Amino acid sequence: MKYLLTGQESKRLLYRNLEETDFEWWLEFTSDKEATRYFDFTENLNPEEFCRFWFDKVFERYRENTGGHNVLVDKITGERIGMCGLLVQEVDGILEMEIGYSIHPKFWRMGYATEASNECREFAFKRDFADSLISIVHKENIASMEVAKNNKMEFEKDAVFKGAPVFIFRVFKDN
């Protein structure tokens, strides 16, 4: 589980592995139409199926050592804020390391995605996991574009990822 931030801390957050006991909490996220509107590949899944798909994918990544989401926990309140992590992804036939993030809607616009994605960037570069990192952002997801920019990323290209029209943002280790 090389790419996980388990046990890391940032200003307001603790990072821990996803657990099966988090299912009901994350089902709130997958049940929120606004939170999931940019997940084009889930259109035929109901919220419970999408949540199970998400959990299965995270646990598969843990087993296969291809990164995975960490649960973000508020240091003071202990509330679960969302998930963020380093994910090995294939984009245009190339394996890339992505910083992926999803924040529970009740914590939107509070800077948590930026804080967590910045921590992922610093963690990955400090450990020489990659010379650059990307974020894959749906072309209509303006909030996530701002998070990528706040993480020192710049627009690189248009792409299609899992059938969805996306922008690829990138940051290089030297920046």
Side-chain angles (χ1 to χ4, degrees), residues 78-114:
E79 285 184 278
R80 293 167 291 191
I81 305 297
M83 293 193 217
C84 186
L86 298 166
L87 313 170
V88 177
Q89 302 278 27
E90 185 175 329
V91 179
D92 295 338
I94 299 168
L95 288 180
E96 300 269 13
M97 183 161 289
E98 178 197 16
I99 299 173
Y101 40 86
S102 293
I103 303 298
H104 195 289
K106 78 182 210 178
F107 298 105
W108 285 355
R109 292 179 273 293
M110 295 180 182
Y112 287 112
T114 295

